[in-house]
Coordinates of all heavy atoms in Angstrom, one line a residue:
M1 N 41.9 97.9 5.0 CA 42.0 97.4 6.4 C 42.4 96.0 6.2 O 41.9 95.2 5.4 CB 40.6 97.5 7.1 CG 40.5 96.7 8.4 SD 38.9 96.8 9.2 CE 39.3 98.2 10.2
E2 N 43.4 95.6 7.1 CA 43.8 94.2 7.1 C 42.9 93.3 7.9 O 42.0 93.7 8.6 CB 45.2 94.2 7.8 CG 46.3 95.1 7.3 CD 47.4 94.4 6.8 OE1 47.6 93.1 6.9 OE2 48.2 95.0 6.1
D3 N 42.9 92.0 7.4 CA 42.0 91.1 8.0 C 42.0 91.1 9.6 O 40.9 91.0 10.2 CB 42.2 89.7 7.6 CG 41.8 89.5 6.0 OD1 41.2 90.4 5.5 OD2 42.2 88.4 5.5
A4 N 43.2 91.1 10.2 CA 43.3 91.1 11.7 C 42.6 92.3 12.3 O 42.0 92.2 13.2 CB 44.7 91.0 12.0
A5 N 42.9 93.5 11.7 CA 42.3 94.8 12.3 C 40.8 94.7 12.0 O 40.1 95.2 12.9 CB 42.9 95.9 11.4
F6 N 40.3 94.2 10.9 CA 38.9 94.0 10.7 C 38.3 93.2 11.9 O 37.3 93.5 12.5 CB 38.5 93.5 9.4 CG 37.0 93.2 9.2 CD1 36.1 94.1 9.0 CD2 36.7 91.9 9.2 CE1 34.8 93.9 8.8 CE2 35.4 91.5 9.1 CZ 34.4 92.5 8.8
A7 N 38.9 92.0 12.0 CA 38.4 91.1 13.0 C 38.3 91.7 14.4 O 37.5 91.5 15.2 CB 39.2 89.7 13.0
A8 N 39.4 92.4 14.8 CA 39.6 93.1 16.1 C 38.4 94.2 16.3 O 37.8 94.2 17.2 CB 40.8 93.8 16.2
A9 N 38.1 95.0 15.1 CA 37.1 96.0 15.1 C 35.7 95.3 15.3 O 34.9 95.8 16.1 CB 37.2 96.8 13.9
V10 N 35.5 94.2 14.6 CA 34.2 93.6 14.9 C 34.0 93.0 16.1 O 32.9 93.1 16.7 CB 34.2 92.4 13.7 CG1 32.9 91.6 14.0 CG2 34.0 93.1 12.3
A11 N 35.1 92.3 16.7 CA 35.0 91.8 18.0 C 34.6 92.8 19.0 O 33.7 92.6 19.9 CB 36.2 91.0 18.4
Q12 N 35.2 93.8 18.9 CA 35.0 95.0 19.9 C 33.5 95.5 19.8 O 32.9 95.8 20.8 CB 36.1 96.2 19.7 CG 35.8 97.3 20.6 CD 36.8 98.5 20.4 OE1 37.7 98.4 19.4 NE2 36.7 99.5 21.1
T13 N 33.1 95.8 18.6 CA 31.7 96.2 18.3 C 30.7 95.2 18.8 O 29.7 95.6 19.5 CB 31.6 96.5 16.8 OG1 32.6 97.4 16.5 CG2 30.2 97.1 16.5
F14 N 30.9 94.0 18.5 CA 29.9 93.1 18.9 C 29.9 92.8 20.4 O 28.8 92.6 20.9 CB 30.2 91.7 18.2 CG 29.7 91.5 16.7 CD1 29.4 92.6 16.0 CD2 29.6 90.2 16.2 CE1 29.0 92.5 14.8 CE2 29.2 90.2 14.8 CZ 28.9 91.2 14.1
K15 N 31.0 92.9 21.0 CA 31.1 92.7 22.5 C 30.3 93.8 23.1 O 29.5 93.7 24.1 CB 32.6 92.7 22.9 CG 32.8 92.6 24.4 CD 34.2 92.6 24.7 CE 34.4 92.4 26.3 NZ 35.8 92.3 26.7
K16 N 30.5 95.1 22.7 CA 29.8 96.3 23.2 C 28.3 96.1 23.0 O 27.5 96.4 23.9 CB 30.3 97.6 22.5 CG 29.7 98.7 23.0 CD 30.2 100.0 22.6 CE 29.7 101.2 23.0 NZ 30.1 102.5 22.4
L17 N 27.9 95.7 21.8 CA 26.4 95.5 21.5 C 25.9 94.3 22.4 O 24.8 94.6 23.0 CB 26.4 95.0 20.0 CG 24.9 94.8 19.5 CD1 24.0 96.0 19.8 CD2 25.0 94.5 18.0
V18 N 26.5 93.2 22.5 CA 26.0 92.1 23.4 C 25.9 92.6 24.7 O 24.9 92.3 25.4 CB 26.8 90.9 23.2 CG1 26.5 89.8 24.2 CG2 26.7 90.3 21.8
K19 N 26.9 93.2 25.3 CA 26.8 93.7 26.7 C 25.6 94.6 26.9 O 24.9 94.5 28.0 CB 28.1 94.4 27.0 CG 28.2 94.9 28.4 CD 29.6 95.6 28.6 CE 29.8 96.1 30.1 NZ 30.9 96.7 30.4
A20 N 25.4 95.5 25.9 CA 24.2 96.4 26.0 C 22.9 95.7 26.1 O 22.0 96.0 27.0 CB 24.2 97.5 25.0
I21 N 22.8 94.7 25.2 CA 21.6 93.9 25.1 C 21.4 93.1 26.4 O 20.3 93.0 27.0 CB 21.5 93.0 23.9 CG1 21.4 94.0 22.6 CG2 20.3 92.1 23.9 CD1 20.2 94.7 22.5
D22 N 22.5 92.5 26.9 CA 22.4 91.7 28.1 C 22.0 92.6 29.3 O 21.5 91.9 30.3 CB 23.8 90.9 28.3 CG 23.9 89.8 27.4 OD1 23.1 89.4 26.7 OD2 25.2 89.3 27.3
A23 N 22.3 93.8 29.4 CA 21.9 94.7 30.4 C 20.4 95.0 30.4 O 20.0 95.4 31.5 CB 22.8 95.9 30.4
A24 N 19.8 94.8 29.3 CA 18.4 95.1 29.2 C 17.6 93.8 29.8 O 18.0 92.8 29.9 CB 18.0 95.3 27.7
D25 N 16.3 94.2 30.0 CA 15.3 93.3 30.5 C 15.1 92.2 29.4 O 14.7 92.5 28.3 CB 14.0 94.0 30.8 CG 13.0 93.0 31.5 OD1 13.1 91.7 31.4 OD2 12.0 93.5 32.0
P26 N 15.4 90.9 29.7 CA 15.2 89.9 28.8 C 13.8 89.6 28.3 O 13.6 89.0 27.4 CB 15.9 88.6 29.4 CG 15.9 88.9 30.8 CD 15.9 90.4 30.9
D27 N 12.8 90.1 29.1 CA 11.5 90.0 28.9 C 11.1 91.1 27.8 O 10.1 90.9 27.2 CB 10.6 90.2 30.1 CG 10.7 89.0 31.0 OD1 11.0 87.9 30.5 OD2 10.5 89.1 32.2
V28 N 12.0 91.9 27.4 CA 11.7 93.0 26.5 C 12.6 92.8 25.2 O 12.1 92.9 24.1 CB 12.0 94.4 27.1 CG1 11.7 95.5 26.1 CG2 11.2 94.6 28.3
V29 N 13.8 92.5 25.5 CA 14.8 92.3 24.3 C 15.8 91.3 24.6 O 16.3 91.3 25.8 CB 15.3 93.6 23.8 CG1 16.3 94.3 24.8 CG2 16.0 93.6 22.4
E30 N 16.4 90.5 23.7 CA 17.4 89.5 24.0 C 18.2 89.3 22.6 O 17.7 89.8 21.6 CB 16.8 88.2 24.4 CG 15.9 87.5 23.5 CD 15.2 86.3 24.1 OE1 15.4 85.9 25.3 OE2 14.6 85.6 23.3
C31 N 19.4 88.7 22.7 CA 20.2 88.6 21.6 C 20.8 87.1 21.6 O 21.1 86.6 22.7 CB 21.3 89.5 21.4 SG 22.6 89.6 22.6
D32 N 21.1 86.8 20.4 CA 21.9 85.4 20.2 C 23.2 86.0 19.4 O 23.1 86.7 18.5 CB 21.1 84.4 19.4 CG 20.0 83.9 20.2 OD1 20.2 83.4 21.4 OD2 18.9 83.8 19.7
S33 N 24.3 85.5 19.8 CA 25.6 85.8 19.1 C 26.3 84.6 18.8 O 26.5 83.7 19.5 CB 26.4 86.7 20.1 OG 27.6 87.0 19.6
T34 N 26.8 84.7 17.4 CA 27.8 83.8 17.0 C 29.0 84.5 16.5 O 28.9 85.7 16.6 CB 27.1 82.9 15.8 OG1 26.9 83.9 14.7 CG2 25.8 82.2 16.0
G35 N 29.9 83.9 16.1 CA 31.2 84.6 15.7 C 30.9 85.8 14.8 O 31.5 86.8 14.9
D36 N 30.0 85.6 13.7 CA 29.9 86.6 12.7 C 28.5 87.2 12.8 O 28.3 88.0 11.8 CB 30.1 85.9 11.4 CG 31.5 85.7 11.0 OD1 32.4 86.4 11.6 OD2 31.9 84.9 10.1
M37 N 27.6 86.9 13.7 CA 26.4 87.5 13.6 C 25.8 87.7 15.1 O 26.0 86.9 16.0 CB 25.5 86.7 12.9 CG 24.0 87.2 12.7 SD 22.8 86.1 11.7 CE 23.7 85.0 11.0
V38 N 25.1 88.8 15.2 CA 24.4 89.0 16.4 C 22.9 89.3 16.1 O 22.6 90.1 15.1 CB 24.8 90.4 17.2 CG1 23.9 90.6 18.4 CG2 26.2 90.1 17.6
T39 N 22.0 88.4 16.5 CA 20.6 88.7 16.3 C 19.8 89.1 17.5 O 19.9 88.5 18.6 CB 20.0 87.3 15.8 OG1 20.7 86.8 14.7 CG2 18.5 87.4 15.5
I40 N 19.3 90.3 17.4 CA 18.5 90.8 18.5 C 17.1 90.8 18.2 O 16.6 91.0 17.2 CB 18.9 92.4 18.6 CG1 20.5 92.6 18.7 CG2 18.2 93.1 19.7 CD1 20.9 94.0 18.3
T41 N 16.3 90.3 19.2 CA 14.9 90.0 19.1 C 14.1 90.7 20.1 O 14.4 90.6 21.3 CB 14.6 88.5 19.2 OG1 15.5 87.8 18.2 CG2 13.1 88.2 18.9
A42 N 13.1 91.5 19.7 CA 12.2 92.2 20.6 C 11.3 91.0 21.1 O 10.5 90.4 20.3 CB 11.4 93.2 19.9
S43 N 11.1 90.7 22.4 CA 10.5 89.7 22.9 C 8.9 89.7 22.7 O 8.3 88.6 22.3 CB 10.7 89.5 24.4 OG 12.1 89.4 24.7
K44 N 8.4 90.9 22.7 CA 6.9 90.9 22.6 C 6.4 90.8 21.1 O 5.4 90.2 21.0 CB 6.3 92.3 23.3 CG 6.5 92.3 24.7 CD 6.0 93.5 25.4 CE 6.3 93.5 26.9 NZ 5.9 94.6 27.6
T45 N 7.2 91.4 20.2 CA 6.7 91.4 18.8 C 7.4 90.3 18.0 O 7.0 90.0 16.9 CB 6.9 92.8 18.2 OG1 8.3 93.0 18.2 CG2 6.3 93.8 19.0
G46 N 8.6 89.8 18.4 CA 9.3 89.0 17.6 C 10.2 89.7 16.5 O 10.8 88.9 15.8
E47 N 10.1 91.0 16.4 CA 10.9 91.7 15.5 C 12.4 91.5 15.7 O 12.8 91.5 16.9 CB 10.5 93.2 15.5 CG 11.0 94.1 14.3 CD 10.5 95.5 14.3 OE1 9.5 95.7 15.0 OE2 11.2 96.3 13.6
K48 N 13.1 91.4 14.6 CA 14.5 91.2 14.7 C 15.3 92.3 14.1 O 15.0 92.9 13.2 CB 14.9 89.9 14.0 CG 14.2 88.7 14.7 CD 14.7 87.4 14.1 CE 14.1 86.2 14.7 NZ 14.1 86.0 16.1
V49 N 16.6 92.5 14.7 CA 17.6 93.3 14.2 C 18.8 92.4 14.0 O 19.2 91.7 15.0 CB 17.9 94.4 15.0 CG1 19.2 95.3 14.5 CG2 16.7 95.4 15.3
V50 N 19.4 92.2 12.8 CA 20.5 91.4 12.5 C 21.6 92.2 12.2 O 21.7 93.1 11.3 CB 20.1 90.4 11.5 CG1 21.3 89.4 11.1 CG2 18.8 89.6 11.7
V51 N 22.8 91.9 12.9 CA 24.2 92.5 12.7 C 25.0 91.4 12.3 O 25.2 90.5 13.0 CB 24.6 93.3 13.9 CG1 25.8 94.0 13.6 CG2 23.5 94.2 14.5
N52 N 25.5 91.5 11.1 CA 26.3 90.4 10.4 C 27.6 90.9 9.7 O 27.5 91.9 9.1 CB 25.4 89.7 9.4 CG 25.9 88.4 9.0 OD1 26.7 87.7 9.5 ND2 25.4 88.1 7.8
T53 N 28.6 90.2 9.8 CA 29.8 90.6 9.1 C 29.8 90.2 7.6 O 29.1 89.3 7.2 CB 31.1 89.9 9.7 OG1 31.0 88.5 9.6 CG2 31.3 90.3 11.2
Q54 N 30.4 91.0 6.8 CA 30.7 90.8 5.4 C 32.2 90.7 5.3 O 32.8 91.7 4.8 CB 30.0 91.9 4.6 CG 28.5 91.9 4.8 CD 27.7 90.7 4.3 OE1 28.0 90.3 3.1 NE2 27.0 90.1 5.1
R55 N 32.9 89.6 5.6 CA 34.3 89.6 5.7 C 35.0 89.9 4.4 O 36.0 90.5 4.4 CB 34.7 88.2 6.3 CG 34.4 88.0 7.8 CD 35.1 86.9 8.4 NE 34.7 86.7 9.7 CZ 35.5 87.3 10.7 NH1 36.4 88.0 10.4 NH2 35.0 87.2 11.9
A56 N 34.4 89.4 3.4 CA 35.2 89.6 2.1 C 35.4 91.0 1.7 O 36.3 91.4 1.1 CB 34.4 88.8 0.9
V57 N 34.5 91.9 2.2 CA 34.6 93.3 1.8 C 34.9 94.1 3.1 O 34.8 95.3 3.0 CB 33.3 93.9 1.1 CG1 33.2 93.1 -0.3 CG2 32.1 93.6 1.8
H58 N 35.1 93.5 4.2 CA 35.4 94.2 5.4 C 34.3 95.2 5.9 O 34.6 96.3 6.2 CB 36.8 94.9 5.3 CG 38.0 93.9 5.4 ND1 39.2 94.3 5.1 CD2 38.0 92.6 5.6 CE1 40.0 93.3 5.1 NE2 39.3 92.2 5.4
Q59 N 33.1 94.6 5.9 CA 32.0 95.5 6.4 C 31.2 94.8 7.3 O 31.2 93.5 7.6 CB 31.1 95.8 5.2 CG 31.7 96.8 4.1 CD 30.7 97.1 3.0 OE1 29.9 96.3 2.6 NE2 30.8 98.4 2.5
I60 N 30.3 95.6 8.0 CA 29.3 95.1 8.9 C 27.9 95.4 8.3 O 27.7 96.5 7.8 CB 29.3 95.5 10.3 CG1 30.6 95.0 11.0 CG2 28.1 95.1 11.1 CD1 30.8 95.6 12.4
W61 N 27.0 94.4 8.1 CA 25.7 94.7 7.5 C 24.7 94.7 8.6 O 24.7 93.8 9.6 CB 25.4 93.5 6.5 CG 24.0 93.6 5.9 CD1 23.6 94.4 4.9 CD2 23.0 92.7 6.2 NE1 22.3 94.2 4.5 CE2 21.9 93.1 5.3 CE3 22.8 91.6 7.0 CZ2 20.8 92.5 5.3 CZ3 21.5 91.0 7.0 CH2 20.6 91.3 6.1
V62 N 23.7 95.6 8.7 CA 22.6 95.6 9.7 C 21.3 95.6 8.9 O 21.0 96.4 8.1 CB 22.7 96.8 10.6 CG1 21.7 96.9 11.6 CG2 24.1 96.9 11.2
A63 N 20.6 94.6 9.3 CA 19.1 94.6 8.9 C 18.2 94.9 10.0 O 18.3 94.4 11.1 CB 18.8 93.1 8.4
G64 N 17.5 96.0 9.7 CA 16.6 96.5 10.8 C 15.6 97.6 10.1 O 16.1 98.2 9.1
K65 N 14.5 97.7 10.7 CA 13.5 98.7 10.2 C 13.2 98.5 8.7 O 13.0 99.4 8.0 CB 14.0 100.2 10.4 CG 14.2 100.5 11.8 CD 14.7 101.8 12.2 CE 14.0 102.9 11.5 NZ 14.2 104.3 12.1
G66 N 13.2 97.2 8.3 CA 12.9 96.9 6.9 C 14.0 97.2 5.9 O 13.6 97.0 4.7
V67 N 15.1 97.6 6.3 CA 16.1 97.8 5.3 C 17.5 97.1 5.7 O 17.7 96.8 6.9 CB 16.4 99.3 5.1 CG1 15.2 100.0 4.6 CG2 16.9 100.0 6.3
G68 N 18.4 97.1 4.8 CA 19.7 96.5 5.1 C 20.8 97.7 4.9 O 20.7 98.3 3.8
V69 N 21.7 97.9 5.8 CA 22.7 98.9 5.6 C 24.0 98.3 5.9 O 24.3 97.6 6.9 CB 22.5 100.1 6.6 CG1 23.4 101.2 6.4 CG2 21.0 100.7 6.5
H70 N 25.0 98.7 4.9 CA 26.3 98.2 5.1 C 27.2 99.3 5.7 O 27.0 100.5 5.3 CB 26.8 97.9 3.7 CG 26.3 96.5 3.0 ND1 25.2 96.7 2.3 CD2 26.6 95.3 3.2 CE1 24.9 95.4 1.9 NE2 25.8 94.6 2.5
F71 N 28.1 99.0 6.6 CA 28.9 99.9 7.2 C 30.4 99.5 7.0 O 30.8 98.3 7.1 CB 28.6 99.9 8.7 CG 27.4 100.5 9.1 CD1 26.2 99.6 9.1 CD2 27.1 101.8 9.3 CE1 24.9 100.1 9.4 CE2 25.8 102.3 9.6 CZ 24.7 101.4 9.7
S72 N 31.1 100.5 6.7 CA 32.7 100.3 6.6 C 33.3 101.1 7.6 O 33.0 102.0 8.2 CB 33.1 100.8 5.3 OG 32.4 100.2 4.1
W73 N 34.5 100.5 8.2 CA 35.4 101.2 9.1 C 36.0 102.5 8.5 O 36.6 102.4 7.5 CB 36.5 100.1 9.6 CG 37.3 100.6 10.8 CD1 38.5 101.0 10.7 CD2 36.9 100.7 12.1 NE1 39.0 101.4 12.0 CE2 37.8 101.1 12.8 CE3 35.7 100.4 12.7 CZ2 37.8 101.3 14.2 CZ3 35.6 100.5 14.1 CH2 36.6 101.0 14.8
S74 N 35.8 103.5 9.3 CA 36.3 104.8 8.8 C 37.8 105.2 9.4 O 38.1 104.5 10.3 CB 35.4 106.0 9.1 OG 35.4 106.1 10.6
A75 N 38.4 106.1 8.8 CA 39.8 106.4 9.2 C 39.7 107.0 10.7 O 40.7 106.9 11.5 CB 40.4 107.4 8.5
D76 N 38.5 107.6 11.2 CA 38.5 108.0 12.5 C 38.0 107.0 13.5 O 37.6 107.3 14.6 CB 37.6 109.4 12.6 CG 36.2 109.1 12.2 OD1 35.8 108.0 11.8 OD2 35.4 110.1 12.4
G77 N 37.9 105.7 13.1 CA 37.6 104.6 14.0 C 36.1 104.5 14.3 O 35.8 104.0 15.4
R78 N 35.2 104.7 13.3 CA 33.8 104.4 13.4 C 33.3 103.5 12.3 O 34.0 103.7 11.2 CB 33.1 105.8 13.5 CG 33.4 106.6 14.7 CD 32.6 108.0 14.7 NE 32.8 108.7 13.5 CZ 31.9 109.5 12.9 NH1 30.8 109.7 13.4 NH2 32.3 110.2 11.8
W79 N 32.3 102.9 12.4 CA 31.6 102.3 11.4 C 30.6 103.2 10.7 O 29.6 103.6 11.4 CB 30.9 101.0 11.9 CG 31.8 99.9 12.4 CD1 32.0 99.6 13.7 CD2 32.5 99.0 11.5 NE1 32.9 98.5 13.7 CE2 33.2 98.2 12.5 CE3 32.6 98.8 10.1 CZ2 34.0 97.1 12.0 CZ3 33.5 97.7 9.7 CH2 34.1 96.8 10.7
L80 N 30.7 103.5 9.5 CA 29.9 104.5 8.8 C 29.3 103.8 7.6 O 29.9 103.0 6.9 CB 30.7 105.7 8.3 CG 31.4 106.5 9.4 CD1 32.2 107.7 8.8 CD2 30.4 107.1 10.4
D81 N 28.0 104.2 7.2 CA 27.4 103.6 6.1 C 28.1 103.9 4.9 O 28.7 104.9 4.6 CB 25.9 104.0 6.0 CG 25.7 105.4 5.5 OD1 26.1 106.3 6.2 OD2 25.3 105.6 4.3
D82 N 28.0 102.9 3.9 CA 28.8 102.9 2.7 C 28.1 103.7 1.6 O 28.6 103.9 0.5 CB 29.2 101.6 2.2 CG 28.0 100.7 1.7 OD1 26.8 101.1 1.9 OD2 28.2 99.7 1.1
K83 N 26.9 104.2 1.9 CA 26.2 105.2 0.9 C 26.3 106.5 1.3 O 25.7 107.5 0.7 CB 24.7 104.8 0.9 CG 24.5 103.3 0.5 CD 24.8 103.0 -1.0 CE 24.5 101.6 -1.4 NZ 25.3 101.0 -2.3
Q84 N 27.2 106.9 2.3 CA 27.4 108.3 2.8 C 26.1 109.0 3.2 O 25.9 110.2 2.8 CB 28.2 109.1 1.7 CG 29.6 108.7 1.7 CD 29.9 107.6 0.6 OE1 29.3 107.5 -0.4 NE2 30.8 106.7 0.9
K85 N 25.2 108.3 3.8 CA 23.9 108.9 4.2 C 24.1 109.5 5.6 O 23.2 110.0 6.2 CB 22.9 107.9 4.4 CG 22.5 107.3 2.9 CD 21.2 106.4 3.0 CE 20.9 106.0 1.6 NZ 19.8 105.0 1.6
G86 N 25.3 109.4 6.3 CA 25.5 110.0 7.6 C 25.2 109.0 8.7 O 25.1 109.4 9.8
L87 N 24.9 107.7 8.4 CA 24.6 106.7 9.4 C 25.9 106.2 10.1 O 26.8 105.7 9.4 CB 23.7 105.7 8.9 CG 22.5 106.0 8.2 CD1 21.8 104.8 7.5 CD2 21.5 106.6 9.2
E88 N 25.8 106.0 11.4 CA 26.9 105.5 12.1 C 26.3 104.1 12.7 O 25.2 104.3 13.2 CB 27.3 106.4 13.2 CG 28.6 106.0 13.9 CD 28.5 105.1 15.0 OE1 27.4 105.2 15.7 OE2 29.2 104.2 15.3
L89 N 27.0 103.1 12.7 CA 26.6 101.8 13.0 C 25.9 101.7 14.5 O 24.8 101.3 14.6 CB 27.7 100.7 13.0 CG 27.2 99.3 13.3 CD1 27.5 98.4 12.3 CD2 27.9 98.9 14.6
E90 N 26.6 102.1 15.4 CA 26.0 102.1 16.8 C 24.7 102.8 16.9 O 23.8 102.4 17.6 CB 27.1 102.5 17.9 CG 28.2 101.5 18.0 CD 29.2 102.0 19.1 OE1 28.8 102.9 20.0 OE2 30.2 101.4 19.3
A91 N 24.7 104.0 16.3 CA 23.5 104.9 16.4 C 22.4 104.1 15.7 O 21.2 104.2 16.1 CB 23.8 106.2 15.9
W92 N 22.7 103.6 14.6 CA 21.7 102.9 13.7 C 21.1 101.6 14.3 O 19.9 101.5 14.5 CB 22.1 102.5 12.3 CG 21.3 101.9 11.4 CD1 21.4 100.6 11.0 CD2 19.9 102.3 10.9 NE1 20.3 100.2 10.3 CE2 19.4 101.4 10.1 CE3 19.4 103.5 11.1 CZ2 18.2 101.4 9.4 CZ3 18.1 103.7 10.3 CH2 17.6 102.7 9.7
V93 N 22.0 100.9 15.0 CA 21.5 99.7 15.8 C 20.7 100.1 16.8 O 19.6 99.6 17.1 CB 22.7 98.8 16.2 CG1 22.3 97.7 17.1 CG2 23.4 98.2 14.9
A94 N 21.0 101.2 17.7 CA 20.3 101.6 18.7 C 19.0 102.1 18.3 O 17.9 101.8 19.0 CB 21.0 102.8 19.4
E95 N 18.8 102.8 17.1 CA 17.6 103.3 16.6 C 16.7 102.1 16.3 O 15.4 102.1 16.6 CB 17.8 104.2 15.4 CG 16.5 104.8 14.8 CD 16.8 105.7 13.7 OE1 17.8 106.4 13.7 OE2 16.0 105.8 12.8
C96 N 17.3 101.1 15.7 CA 16.5 99.9 15.2 C 15.9 99.1 16.4 O 14.8 98.8 16.4 CB 17.3 99.0 14.3 SG 17.8 99.6 12.7
V97 N 16.8 98.9 17.5 CA 16.4 98.3 18.6 C 15.3 99.0 19.4 O 14.4 98.5 19.8 CB 17.7 98.0 19.6 CG1 17.3 97.4 20.9 CG2 18.6 97.0 18.9
R98 N 15.4 100.4 19.5 CA 14.5 101.2 20.1 C 13.1 101.1 19.5 O 12.1 101.0 20.1 CB 14.9 102.7 20.2 CG 14.1 103.6 21.0 CD 14.6 105.0 21.2 NE 15.3 105.6 20.0 CZ 16.6 105.6 19.8 NH1 17.4 105.2 20.8 NH2 17.1 106.1 18.7
D99 N 13.2 101.1 18.1 CA 11.9 101.1 17.4 C 11.3 99.7 17.5 O 10.0 99.6 17.6 CB 12.1 101.3 15.9 CG 12.4 102.8 15.5 OD1 12.4 103.6 16.5 OD2 12.6 103.1 14.3
A100 N 12.1 98.6 17.6 CA 11.6 97.3 17.7 C 11.1 97.0 19.1 O 10.1 96.2 19.4 CB 12.5 96.3 17.3
S101 N 11.7 97.5 20.2 CA 11.4 97.1 21.5 C 11.3 98.1 22.5 O 10.8 97.8 23.6 CB 12.7 96.3 22.0 OG 13.9 97.1 22.2
G102 N 11.6 99.4 22.2 CA 11.6 100.5 23.2 C 12.7 100.6 24.1 O 12.7 101.6 25.0
V103 N 13.7 99.7 23.9 CA 14.9 99.7 24.8 C 15.9 100.7 24.2 O 16.2 100.6 23.0 CB 15.5 98.3 24.8 CG1 16.8 98.3 25.5 CG2 14.5 97.4 25.6
D104 N 16.5 101.6 25.0 CA 17.6 102.4 24.7 C 18.8 101.8 25.0 O 19.1 101.5 26.3 CB 17.5 103.9 25.4 CG 16.4 104.7 24.8 OD1 16.3 104.7 23.6 OD2 15.6 105.3 25.6
L105 N 19.8 101.5 24.1 CA 21.0 100.8 24.3 C 22.0 101.6 25.0 O 22.8 101.2 26.0 CB 21.5 100.2 23.0 CG 20.7 99.1 22.3 CD1 21.5 98.7 21.0 CD2 20.4 98.0 23.3
W106 N 22.3 102.9 24.6 CA 23.3 103.7 25.2 C 22.8 105.1 25.4 O 21.9 105.6 24.9 CB 24.6 103.8 24.4 CG 24.6 103.1 23.1 CD1 24.1 103.6 21.9 CD2 25.1 101.8 22.7 NE1 24.3 102.7 20.9 CE2 24.8 101.6 21.4 CE3 25.5 100.8 23.5 CZ2 25.2 100.4 20.7 CZ3 25.8 99.6 22.8 CH2 25.7 99.4 21.4

């Protein structure tokens, strides 16, 4: 994947994620976004889900549920885990957020 394509895929993914969190009750879950990172925080417990780019290897890294998972862009246009465990980034982030806050993102 070229750098520009990676940047575009990340921007689209982060925009969708931030939009979903912004639609949720801020008393339950909120997020902070910088260019390369989205930090989602469950308001009641303080538990965090961190979504961060790994530009050098064109991956997105997600820390949640006590583990870190790396996702690579697939030929079919999805972020899939690099260990072939069958994890898809949006589903994994949604599961982590639901476990931390009870909020369903999509």
Side-chain angles (χ1 to χ4, degrees):
M1 172 180 265
E2 305 247 347
D3 289 345
F6 172 76
V10 167
Q12 178 183 2
T13 301
F14 280 17
K15 182 178 180 179
K16 182 177 181 181
L17 178 57
V18 169
K19 183 178 179 180
I21 296 293
D22 285 349
D25 183 346
D27 290 335
V28 178
V29 66
E30 58 187 6
C31 74
D32 293 312
S33 178
T34 63
D36 283 335
M37 184 178 347
V38 176
T39 303
I40 303 158
T41 306
S43 300
K44 293 180 182 176
T45 65
E47 189 172 345
K48 296 186 184 306
V49 178
V50 178
V51 184
N52 191 23
T53 61
Q54 302 291 306
R55 288 191 180 274
V57 292
H58 290 165
Q59 291 184 325
I60 293 178
W61 176 76
V62 179
K65 295 176 58 159
V67 298
V69 181
H70 290 91
F71 294 87
S72 298
W73 189 250
S74 67
D76 66 353
R78 297 181 299 151
W79 292 101
L80 301 176
D81 74 286
D82 68 346
K83 303 291 186 206
Q84 288 87 36
K85 293 181 179 180
L87 299 175
E88 191 273 329
L89 181 124
E90 288 184 11
W92 177 247
V93 171
E95 184 177 323
C96 292
V97 170
R98 185 174 41 258
D99 285 0
S101 68
V103 170
D104 286 317
L105 293 182
W106 5 87

